[in-house]
Amino acid sequence: MEVVVAVIKPQKSVSSFSSREFHPSNYSILLVESKAALHAEWGKPIRSLPMFSLKRDEEPREVILNYLYQMTGEKSDGIKGERALPVRTSRDMLLNYQNNYSAMKLYCVPITHNHNNNIEKSVTANMAFFSLDIVLEGGKNFTCTPTTLTLLFTLKNWLAEKHMQSGSVRCMFRIRAEFRISVCINNPVFIPRSKEQTSADGRNTANFDALTKMLAIEKCDTVVMNPLFGSGLPYKAKTNRVVTNIYWGMGIPDYKEIIAHHQSAMESKLGMDQLWARNYPIHKCAYEGDVNGIMRLSKIPHSMKDDKMFAPIHYAAWKGHADAVVTLLRAGCSPNITNVDHQTPLHIAAMRGKPNVVDVLLEDSNIDVNARNKNNKTPYDLCCKASSPEMKRAADLLEAAMNRPSRKIEIHLMDGKQKTLNLTTGDNTTVSHFREQMLRELDLPESYGNIFSIWICSQSLELQLKLEHKPVHQLHSWKGVVKQLTEKDPEQEKPVLQWRRNAKVNLQEEQLLLSQIQHEVGINLLFQEAYHNYIYGLYPFTDQINYFLAACLMYILGGKQDPNSVKSYCTKNLTKFLPTSKQKVKGNANYILAQYRQLLEDDSLTHTSLKLEFLKKCHTLQIYGSAFFFGTLQERANRFTPYHIGVNGFGIHLINVQAKNFPKSYMYNDISWHYQEFNINLLEIRVKSSTGSVIHLQTKQAGIIYHLMTKLSRKPGSEEQNGIKSIL
């Protein structure tokens, strides 16, 4: 690797610079004259930055400082730099000068303005410091190699950035940290073994003395040491008590006759413990079956749990008070509420052999008959093998409930198809339950479970739901959500549930999964969503890539076409192959057909392989996988332009709704964003650059966008959202 060294020296003390002041005239740069190389027109020596070759295994900073010291005359007070700082080469320069600079690295060595050096008297008198502004101006008075001039402009931009950062310039010229340390003290107790001082008897005297003093300072009142610890003496632990499970080896027990660990406390404590009855009066009424007492205490939350993590309905089910259970259900208590053992009231009623309570609970439309406790047992598992008539009756009721058809709901796929799922817990069925059913319905591997999620969508609003959300409830409240987050008429917005890509999954996770498991159904689901966004203009490409993707779509959607009718087929179906903004381009059908014929030359062509190629092209877009919103951007005075707003793991992306051109993308590291409670429809984005531009997005969805950006810009794992803002 070729290393180029830029030694800079300020004309005055850097402490006199203001935090944002930068002028090339404030710096001098060290250049080397080449007397052998003269300018063809002016006959003057050409100057350049010092350069040398660096081996791959060498640490660049120390090698650069040693090289500079030797080059400037180590015997005649050469330059001793404090540090060598890598200068970031701009992307544009790499693109324009790739051949020249691909193996070249620029380092800056800053030295103070009063650095004691006398280069003119050294053996290397062919080098000198020149004012940076004169060098950059060039002309007849000064000539540099093209490479040096380009690198100096890069150095100029780098220095300008440093001046924009408060304190950065002073840190550049500060002496190194190891020379700023006045005193270094080590605690002898923690001296490495290689540096220990031992006495003749083998003891570490310094460490031992220091440890003794430390213990003396602590002034312990009592120190107790186990005499057996470290002695090596054999000893045997003495058993104080042996407890044997009386049911061990007796086969499957009758659960009704076994006293659970809660039962003894409940049977002995309840009704006699006045403190418990006073603290939890509604629990006491439920235990005693006092329906009037429960109704009288209506102001107390009916789902409140006591010190045993039991809700009132658990006690009513335990004692078999069906009327009390009905009263609590009508008061709003969930039939699926769990205790510390993840037992629902149905578990307890089944385990205790209370068929009357089981029958009442099964009549509730939201009951989860397949709920599992911490031992992964359903209510039916707890009573199906018992011998008592009551438990057999409870088992029959549960078996009949498990076999009866449940309510259904439709989940839409992006290709227009639907899957009908069971509402296993009625209206309380969560996204997590739906996701498990969808994986089974689509025969998807478990690894694809995190890639997809349930969305609730209408014509003007699309929101991803969390695992704990209950989609039926979201469908019922959708009109209010639409009114809160859009300007559209809620009556015209018909919500549906969709199975779509999880917006919180980053591109790398998807690419890794597709490289490991190429599941045909999973690939098709991802392709259908990418195809939808492509046709709608949310995934913009260059014309050449558009023609290639259109050719892929011709084969995927229509198969291999008859050569005599292929052009007619392409022209009639352009709306299926190209985004709306590209469909009227003259001659585009011919370009698509040319790409299509090239595809047909590949004998291994399949629908799945083409869908993968389509996805790979989409993966090159920074906007891929975004959750999309809608808002307006004030670009001129009193003129607001509508924009699609995409948010993903890279940043935020803005697409002009009318032009559908390439998006304006802003990465999280390059911006800051602000959402002010007093103006809930405004999202302010500040660009961290020399221009410092500010973008004001007007949208009712500003709160959701702000919270999603905050979440995706962090490392995975943190969730701190609630209410409507937690939908995404």
Side-chain angles (χ1 to χ4, degrees):
M1 180 178 69
E2 294 296 323
V3 173
V4 183
V5 184
V7 183
I8 61 171
K9 181 170 71 171
Q11 304 286 11
K12 55 183 178 178
S13 174
V14 294
S15 60
S16 62
F17 293 168
S18 65
S19 59
R20 295 180 179 272
E21 178 186 6
F22 172 73
H23 298 292
S25 59
N26 288 336
Y27 290 95
S28 297
I29 185 76
L30 180 66
L31 296 177
V32 179
E33 290 185 2
S34 178
K35 293 183 178 180
L38 299 178
H39 193 277
E41 182 178 351
W42 301 315
K44 293 185 178 182
I46 299 177
R47 299 178 176 86
S48 62
L49 291 169
M51 180 187 303
F52 71 97
S53 297
L54 181 71
K55 296 180 181 178
R56 289 183 177 272
D57 56 345
E58 290 181 325
E59 203 288 317
R61 291 169 175 81
E62 291 300 326
V63 174
I64 291 170
L65 296 179
N66 291 334
Y67 164 79
L68 182 63
Y69 183 53
Q70 295 173 5
M71 181 187 71
T72 55
E74 56 183 331
K75 296 182 180 180
S76 56
D77 199 11
I79 295 176
K80 296 180 180 179
E82 295 288 344
R83 56 182 58 82
L85 305 173
V87 178
R88 184 180 61 188
T89 306
S90 68
R91 182 183 177 188
D92 292 339
M93 195 193 87
L94 287 175
L95 292 173
N96 295 332
Y97 301 93
Q98 186 174 3
N99 295 332
N100 294 337
Y101 305 125
S102 58
M104 190 178 294
K105 188 69 176 178
L106 176 63
Y107 281 84
C108 174
V109 179
I111 62 175
T112 58
H113 72 288
N114 55 358
H115 192 281
N116 184 20
N117 63 84
N118 193 0
I119 297 177
E120 288 75 8
K121 295 181 180 180
S122 69
V123 293
T124 57
N126 62 327
M127 63 182 70
F129 281 97
F130 298 91
S131 180
L132 183 58
D133 61 330
I134 296 177
V135 177
L136 293 174
E137 289 176 1
K140 295 183 178 181
N141 297 327
F142 206 93
T143 56
C144 288
T145 63
T147 302
T148 294
L149 197 59
T150 302
L151 292 174
L152 286 177
F153 275 105
T154 300
L155 177 68
K156 172 190 172 184
N157 296 333
W158 182 77
L159 286 173
E161 290 180 5
K162 291 296 181 183
H163 274 266
M164 294 295 294
Q165 301 169 5
S166 179
S168 294
V169 175
R170 295 187 182 184
C171 291
M172 286 171 51
F173 293 93
R174 187 182 298 169
I175 61 174
R176 281 192 280 187
E178 54 262 41
F179 300 118
R180 299 202 303 269
I181 299 176
S182 301
V183 179
C184 182
I185 300 175
N186 288 315
N187 188 334
V189 176
F190 302 105
I191 293 178
R193 292 186 176 274
S194 60
K195 299 181 181 180
E196 291 179 353
Q197 298 178 356
T198 55
S199 60
D201 59 358
R203 286 193 314 161
N204 182 343
T205 55
N207 293 26
F208 182 79
D209 293 342
L211 181 59
T212 302
K213 292 178 180 179
M214 288 174 63
L215 292 175
I217 293 173
E218 294 292 338
K219 296 181 180 180
C220 301
D221 295 328
T222 304
V223 177
V224 178
M225 298 185 66
N226 185 346
L228 294 178
F229 183 76
S231 65
L233 297 175
Y235 64 92
K236 185 177 180 180
K238 181 180 178 181
T239 303
N240 297 325
R241 184 183 179 188
V242 177
V243 179
T244 304
N245 186 348
I246 61 174
Y247 297 100
W248 178 258
M250 296 175 62
I252 299 175
D254 187 344
Y255 286 96
K256 182 181 178 182
E257 299 177 1
I258 299 178
I259 300 178
H261 71 277
H262 286 301
Q263 185 175 5
S264 58
M266 291 169 64
E267 299 291 356
S268 60
K269 176 179 180 181
L270 300 184
M272 295 187 295
D273 190 335
Q274 298 300 320
L275 179 61
W276 178 88
R278 186 168 62 251
N279 291 337
Y280 306 102
I282 195 170
H283 295 73
K284 178 178 179 295
C285 292
Y287 179 81
E288 295 174 349
D290 184 0
V291 174
N292 293 329
I294 294 174
M295 297 175 66
R296 188 172 60 251
L297 297 170
S298 59
K299 293 185 179 180
I300 298 178
H302 292 81
S303 298
M304 182 180 69
K305 297 179 181 180
D306 65 358
D307 53 356
K308 299 297 182 185
M309 297 303 292
F310 268 50
I313 197 171
H314 289 123
Y315 290 108
W318 185 279
K319 296 299 291 184
H321 299 310
D323 292 340
V325 171
V326 171
T327 304
L328 290 166
L329 289 174
R330 289 176 178 173
C333 182
S334 170
N336 303 312
I337 190 171
T338 58
N339 61 12
V340 69
D341 295 325
H342 296 175
Q343 292 176 328
T344 65
L346 196 57
H347 279 100
I348 293 175
M351 179 179 65
R352 292 277 292 163
K354 306 295 182 182
N356 58 334
V357 175
V358 171
D359 193 21
V360 166
L361 289 169
L362 290 176
E363 290 179 359
D364 192 290
S365 61
N366 294 321
I367 191 67
D368 184 3
V369 71
N370 296 307
R372 296 182 179 273
N373 62 14
K374 72 174 185 179
N375 296 321
N376 203 33
K377 300 291 185 182
T378 65
Y380 178 75
D381 295 333
L382 300 180
C383 61
C384 63
K385 297 181 179 180
S387 57
S388 68
E390 293 83 358
M391 297 190 78
K392 286 184 177 180
R393 172 63 180 153
D396 292 340
L397 292 171
L398 289 166
E399 186 177 14
M402 293 168 68
N403 293 329
R404 70 189 179 195
S406 60
R407 294 165 56 200
K408 307 288 184 180
I409 193 170
E410 284 189 343
I411 306 294
H412 294 250
L413 304 180
M414 294 301 292
D415 60 359
K417 298 178 181 178
Q418 299 90 28
K419 289 293 181 181
T420 303
L421 305 184
N422 295 322
L423 290 170
T424 53
T425 58
D427 291 352
N428 292 324
T429 306
T430 63
V431 171
S432 179
H433 291 133
F434 285 141
R435 190 170 72 169
E436 293 175 4
Q437 291 188 61
M438 286 296 292
L439 292 178
R440 291 195 299 268
E441 287 286 328
L442 297 169
D443 194 25
L444 284 171
E446 188 65 32
S447 54
Y448 275 77
N450 188 46
I451 297 293
F452 297 100
S453 188
I454 300 294
W455 289 63
I456 180 170
C457 308
S458 63
Q459 184 178 358
S460 304
L461 187 61
E462 300 174 345
L463 296 177
Q464 179 179 324
L465 302 180
K466 281 187 174 183
L467 291 178
E468 64 271 20
H469 281 154
K470 301 170 183 177
V472 176
H473 293 181
Q474 300 291 341
L475 290 171
H476 292 161
S477 61
W478 187 245
K479 290 182 179 179
V481 176
V482 170
K483 185 176 181 180
Q484 180 180 349
L485 298 180
T486 73
E487 303 288 349
K488 303 298 181 179
D489 181 7
E491 297 297 332
Q492 302 300 320
E493 300 286 324
K494 305 301 180 184
V496 295
L497 298 179
Q498 289 187 345
W499 179 252
R500 295 174 56 171
R501 187 185 184 278
N502 185 351
K504 298 175 186 176
V505 172
N506 60 45
L507 176 60
Q508 289 74 21
E509 291 180 73
E510 180 180 322
Q511 290 175 323
L512 178 62
L513 179 63
L514 291 177
S515 66
Q516 295 175 343
I517 306 175
Q518 293 189 358
H519 192 275
E520 185 174 345
V521 176
I523 292 172
N524 181 61
L525 291 169
L526 292 170
F527 160 76
Q528 292 292 346
E529 185 164 353
Y531 169 56
H532 167 82
N533 291 333
Y534 165 74
I535 290 295
Y536 195 61
L538 299 177
Y539 287 174
F541 290 98
T542 62
D543 289 343
Q544 188 65 28
I545 297 179
N546 277 328
Y547 299 141
F548 171 77
L549 295 180
C552 293
L553 292 172
M554 276 187 65
Y555 190 93
I556 294 171
L557 301 179
K560 191 173 182 179
Q561 296 294 317
D562 185 348
N564 297 325
S565 60
V566 64
K567 186 171 184 179
S568 174
Y569 171 78
C570 177
T571 305
K572 290 180 180 179
N573 294 278
L574 277 179
T575 56
K576 297 180 181 179
F577 306 146
L578 286 174
T580 306
S581 59
K582 303 295 181 180
Q583 293 171 9
K584 295 183 180 180
V585 177
K586 187 176 181 180
N588 52 17
N590 295 327
Y591 296 121
I592 296 173
L593 290 173
Q595 295 283 350
Y596 179 74
R597 293 188 183 99
Q598 290 183 15
L599 288 177
L600 294 180
E601 296 176 0
D602 186 357
D603 296 334
S604 62
L605 202 64
T606 65
H607 284 73
T608 302
S609 64
L610 282 180
K611 290 174 182 177
L612 273 174
E613 285 298 320
F614 190 97
L615 285 173
K616 288 178 181 178
K617 291 295 184 184
C618 294
H619 288 169
T620 62
L621 300 174
Q622 290 182 332
I623 199 174
Y624 178 79
S626 293
F628 287 99
F629 306 90
F630 181 82
T632 58
L633 177 63
Q634 185 175 0
E635 296 183 325
R636 297 179 184 176
N638 299 323
R639 180 180 176 183
F640 292 86
T641 306
Y643 272 85
H644 293 294
I645 305 167
V647 180
N648 62 5
F650 288 109
I652 185 169
H653 317 274
L654 308 178
I655 297 181
N656 189 305
V657 172
Q658 299 169 348
K660 293 288 179 66
N661 47 13
F662 285 93
K664 303 175 182 178
S665 296
Y666 303 93
M667 303 302 99
Y668 291 123
N669 291 335
D670 300 330
I671 59 174
S672 62
W673 52 97
H674 309 277
Y675 170 67
Q676 298 170 340
E677 295 295 337
F678 64 85
N679 190 352
I680 60 175
N681 296 337
L682 177 65
L683 180 67
E684 183 181 271
I685 299 175
R686 293 184 176 272
V687 182
K688 301 175 184 176
S689 66
S690 57
T691 59
S693 59
V694 180
I695 301 170
H696 292 102
L697 287 173
Q698 290 284 348
T699 171
K700 281 193 169 184
Q701 301 155 28
I704 295 180
I705 298 173
Y706 171 81
H707 283 81
L708 182 59
M709 291 177 66
T710 303
K711 179 179 179 59
L712 294 182
S713 63
R714 297 174 182 159
K715 294 181 180 179
S718 62
E719 277 197 36
E720 50 178 16
Q721 305 161 8
N722 48 56
I724 288 296
K725 295 178 183 178
S726 70
I727 289 179
L728 267 167

